[in-house]
């Protein structure tokens, strides 16, 4: 009897793939923070919902990724025979030092503050082009026609993907998010992920050949050259990390722009304030990141026994899921009505880009892309309104929180 009561209670507290949770996870987060801030899920992970524990786990060296061991524990001893898991095990996002340090060191120079600032004119040009394309139509889907094109174009630029190959990427469906969710994949989902992965690998192998023959001033060329050096990068690492950069380089930015525009239009006072004072855009982006983060969760594994984390003992090898979206609304850090959108809120320091050694490489690039996109849209289409801001269609994934579509008219 007790077991069933416990399971029913668990499902109520943290059921991240339930449609109502995906539509609005924030009431559940509040319940977790107040009733069970270090909650244990049915599949045996600890869930940290308060800012204090989540931010500690992200930065503390006693926690790491330990991807292979974690995946084997979840899917059984044959897990690493699955191409998708083998591929993910090479992502720098899933690595611990020293491999993480080596891989990140190879790409970090492409994302320096200086390099990213230099991209502003290019970003502005792409945003203006997207708006020129639809301005006379009087309506568009803010996701597909606007938010999606910008980061995909920029990451294609950075990776040296030729113009004539890009249309495929614009048509591409955004299905990858499910891989990151904290709910085990079904056999069918693993098969689908393996197939998608094989297709993408075929394309990127062709891109590597192209860049070996005709090197460019792009990240793929640099990594291909590091691979030829032999000591710095294996072919599997090259493939996995270019594909990671491609996905990470657009997914979360699309969601930041979409979620930000939705939040603004659901809060007309804030929309009016930003239109009247466009200089608020930089702080507004931080508030969008805090208010409805495009990444809701990131995980670590205890690399040793932890005596006390939020009142719980964490045995070595146990995963801890950090609810970034919940930490961002923790009243202990944001005492002034954290569930309210306030683009003038002081000291906004969202956890949306993670923390510690895995802090998002592209954080500054994402901020600038969102800033230019939203500022330009409000300036050029001042009477734009959402067709249905109350019931938008969310993607069915939890970790990557974003909209499937967001139709708008003017």
């Amino acid at each position: 009897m007790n077991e069933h009561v416990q399971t029913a209670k668990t499902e109520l507290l943290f059921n991240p793939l339930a449609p109502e949770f995906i539509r609005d996870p924030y009431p559940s987060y509040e319940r977790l923070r107040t009733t069970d801030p270090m909650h244990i899920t049915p599949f045996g992970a600890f869930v940290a919902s308060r800012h204090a524990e989540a931010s500690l786990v992200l930065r503390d060296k006693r926690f790491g990724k330990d991807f292979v061991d974690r995946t084997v524990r979840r899917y059984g001893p044959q897990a690493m025979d699955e191409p998708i898991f083998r591929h993910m095990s090479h992502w720098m996002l899933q690595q611990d030092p020293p491999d993480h340090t080596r891989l990140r060191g190879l790409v970090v120079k492409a994302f320096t503050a200086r390099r990213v600032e230099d991209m502003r004119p290019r970003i502005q040009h792409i945003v203006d082009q997207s708006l020129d394309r639809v301005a006379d139509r009087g309506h568009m889907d803010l996701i597909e026609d606007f938010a999606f094109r910008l980061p995909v174009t920029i990451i294609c630029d950075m990776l040296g993907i030729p113009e004539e190959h890009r249309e495929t990427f614009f048509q591409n469906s955004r299905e990858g998010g499910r891989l990151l969710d904290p709910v085990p994949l079904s056999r069918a989902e693993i098969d689908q992920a393996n197939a998608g992965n094989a297709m993408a690998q075929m394309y990127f192998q062709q891109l590597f050949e192209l860049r070996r023959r005709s090197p460019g001033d792009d990240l793929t060329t640099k990594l291909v050259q590091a691979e030829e050096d032999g000591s710095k990068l294996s072919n599997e690492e090259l493939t996995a990390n270019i594909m990671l950069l491609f996905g990470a380089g657009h997914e979360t930015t699309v969601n930041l722009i979409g979620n930000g525009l939705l939040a603004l239009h659901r809060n007309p006072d804030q929309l009016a304030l930003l239109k009247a004072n466009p200089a608020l855009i930089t702080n507004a982006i931080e508030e969008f990141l805090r208010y409805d983060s495009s990444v809701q969760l990131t995980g670590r594994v205890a690399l040793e026994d932890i005596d006390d984390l939020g009142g719980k003992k964490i045995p070595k090898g146990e995963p801890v899921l950090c609810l970034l979206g919940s930490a961002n609304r923790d009243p202990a850090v944001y005492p002034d009505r954290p569930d309210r959108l306030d683009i003038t809120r002081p000291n906004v320091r969202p956890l949306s880009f993670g923390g510690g050694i895995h802090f998002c490489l592209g954080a500054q690039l994402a901020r600038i892309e969102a800033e230019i996109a939203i500022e330009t849209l409000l300036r050029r289409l001042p009477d734009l309104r959402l067709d249905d801001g109350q019931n938008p269609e969310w993607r069915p994934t939890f970790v990557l929180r974003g909209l499937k579509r967001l139709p708008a008219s003017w």
Side-chain angles (χ1 to χ4, degrees), residues 51 54-55 58-59 293 324 327-328 334 349-355:
H51 191 282
S55 58
L58 295 179
R59 293 177 179 83
S293 178
L324 307 177
N328 283 341
Y334 301 102
R349 285 192 292 277
L351 284 185
S352 311
F353 291 119

Side-chain angles (χ1 to χ4, degrees), residues 161-365:
I161 293 173
E163 293 280 347
E164 61 272 22
H165 297 176
R166 294 183 184 187
E167 211 39 55
T168 334
F169 290 111
F170 292 129
Q171 313 296 292
N172 224 332
S173 64
R174 297 153 61 214
E175 297 301 332
R178 178 68 185 92
L179 283 176
L180 300 171
D181 283 331
V183 174
L185 299 168
S186 66
R187 182 67 251 174
E189 287 174 317
I190 293 173
D191 292 341
Q192 189 188 356
N194 283 334
N197 185 255
M199 291 286 291
Q201 287 212 30
M202 274 165 57
Y203 172 73
F204 283 102
Q205 292 299 335
Q206 289 171 350
L207 179 66
F208 302 154
E209 281 311 309
L210 174 68
R211 288 297 161 240
R212 285 186 187 107
R213 288 197 309 273
S214 51
D217 178 25
D218 58 71
L219 206 42
T220 302
T221 300
K222 286 197 181 61
L223 292 183
V224 163
Q225 288 164 352
E227 183 216 15
E228 286 162 358
D229 180 15
S231 63
K232 293 186 183 156
L233 198 65
S234 70
N235 184 265
E236 278 191 302
E237 288 176 329
L238 169 67
T239 312
N241 283 290
I242 287 283
M243 286 166 65
L244 169 68
L245 287 167
F246 181 78
H250 73 278
E251 273 290 358
T252 49
T253 309
V254 176
N255 294 348
L256 169 56
I257 295 168
N259 297 0
L261 287 169
L262 176 66
L264 271 181
H265 284 87
R266 282 176 159 179
N267 292 273
D269 60 320
Q270 299 298 300
L271 178 61
L273 185 59
L274 187 53
K275 283 180 178 172
N277 187 355
L280 288 171
I281 187 68
T282 309
N283 199 66
I285 299 299
E286 297 308 300
E287 176 68 349
F288 300 150
L289 284 162
R290 183 199 73 78
Y291 179 77
D292 201 7
S293 178
S294 40
V295 180
Q296 287 284 311
L297 173 150
T298 187
R300 298 286 190 273
V301 169
L303 302 178
E304 57 185 72
D305 289 340
I306 310 291
D307 286 340
D308 179 17
L309 183 69
K312 296 263 169 68
K313 273 185 171 17
I314 316 283
K316 180 182 175 180
E318 290 298 326
V320 178
L321 308 177
C322 301
L323 289 178
L324 307 177
S326 175
N328 283 341
R329 293 199 185 194
D330 188 337
V333 181
Y334 301 102
D336 185 22
R337 297 172 65 197
D339 287 332
R340 193 173 136 259
L341 183 76
D342 175 6
I343 62 169
T344 64
R345 189 184 296 275
N347 308 319
V348 188
R349 285 192 292 277
L351 284 185
S352 311
F353 291 119
I357 62 169
H358 290 283
F359 183 81
C360 174
L361 268 173
Q364 203 43 31
L365 178 57

Side-chain angles (χ1 to χ4, degrees), residues 88-99:
M88 288 171 74
S89 74
H90 294 291
W91 287 357
M92 69 182 107
L93 180 65
Q94 303 290 10
Q95 294 273 9
D96 293 312
D99 287 329

